[in-house]
Amino acid sequence: MDNVIAPLRQKLQELALSAQFDTLLERSKQLLRASRQENAAVTEVVALLSLAEAYRIIGKFHEARVLVDGAHDAAQGLAHPRLRADALIERGLLLLEGYFQPIEALNDFREALHIAYEHNEAAATASALLGVAHAYQALGESDRALIWAKESISTAQELPTPATTAQLWLVLADIYRVQRRLGRAQACLQHAQQLIDANGYTLLLGDALYQASLLQANPIAQLMEAVVMPTLSSAQRARYLETLATLFTQEKDFESARKIARSYLEHAQTWRSKPHETVAFALLGYVNTHAGANDEAQAAYAQALALAREHKNPYQEAGILEALAGIAFAAGDYDETLTHLQAARSVYLALDYDRKARLLLGRLLLTHVARFVQKLIAFVRRR
């Protein structure tokens, strides 16, 4: 049976990569029904994973989470290393794209890597390495992301299918762009585009267009055009909208930025995704902060904070607390700044995210100094 799993997984994943979402759902459901009728536990896990991938792509994150958790538990019960690793990788992707939980995703990718490496599963090893790079990039740690992405190169290029290699070049393009190494970013993007075009990876075309547009001097027009592509995944469309709102804010076109942020909110509500709703309100807070509308910004961030706590996403909660601290610091309210920073740091410490906790310690010390100077000036003036 094991010699059937790899080609079956590959065939279903090719449907996803070619953006044949309806066909992927139908084939996966057919496989699930047949597997259960024949008591074929291994192919049932494959079907569950494929359905989870399909639902993740179209934005049904709750359904995807139920399916991938079921697949993970079943794979563990079967003691099947390839499927255990695949389930952890799929859950990691879902945690990144659907729930904005990069620390939890990093843990899943690392566990998948350990399993795949121990059992000499090359495809899962390459995907897990790529997942680790994705997670570090989501955490804003591009240097560490680059180390793991490079680690994946040799393994990915030796695989019989080029999909992982194409995704790897896209991640490298993103890392180099963030690091302002634009020549290397462009070269990586060209490698990815060649593989995408040669293999008909329509789903990855959205990521390639995203990187290409941001490498341009004025990316807004191309981003606006690309966001209406029917083959974008829900996570891709969310990223386009968030980036557009950010770019309009940087251009001081706050009305357009607010319009895009509200569009993001509408999409999040259509997907019934509380984590994306949280991002949408935080995005409105970001726009209003830069527009100088602090009351509106604080109100939007307050809604985002309530949602983050409601769906128990401490990573999002800490980021919002940092944003609120920034508003308070700019207003000279150092006591409120300290309250928000201390709360955010406590969250990062609870997540064992020591790097961010150390960075916030520096901001706390700076705020204490600013508060001392403020009180000293007030004391002198009273004298």
Side-chain angles (χ1 to χ4, degrees), residues 88-89 91-92 95 104-113:
L88 287 163
I89 291 165
R91 190 168 68 186
L95 287 167
E104 291 84 346
L106 184 59
N107 292 335
D108 275 352
F109 290 135
R110 281 174 166 164
E111 186 179 349
L113 179 61

Side-chain angles (χ1 to χ4, degrees), residues 136-193:
Y136 276 124
Q137 187 71 344
L139 288 166
E141 298 189 36
S142 60
D143 289 342
R144 299 180 78 175
L146 182 60
I147 292 170
W148 288 93
K150 285 182 175 180
E151 186 73 19
S152 179
I153 289 176
S154 58
T155 306
Q157 290 181 327
E158 291 172 2
L159 296 175
T161 55
T164 304
T165 307
Q167 291 170 307
L168 171 64
W169 287 123
L170 287 169
V171 170
L172 283 167
D174 188 53
I175 293 169
Y176 284 130
R177 177 183 57 80
V178 170
Q179 294 181 340
R180 307 302 300 167
R181 300 160 78 178
L182 303 185
R184 291 194 177 189
Q186 190 65 53
C188 291
L189 182 58
Q190 288 173 354
H191 287 307
Q193 191 69 61

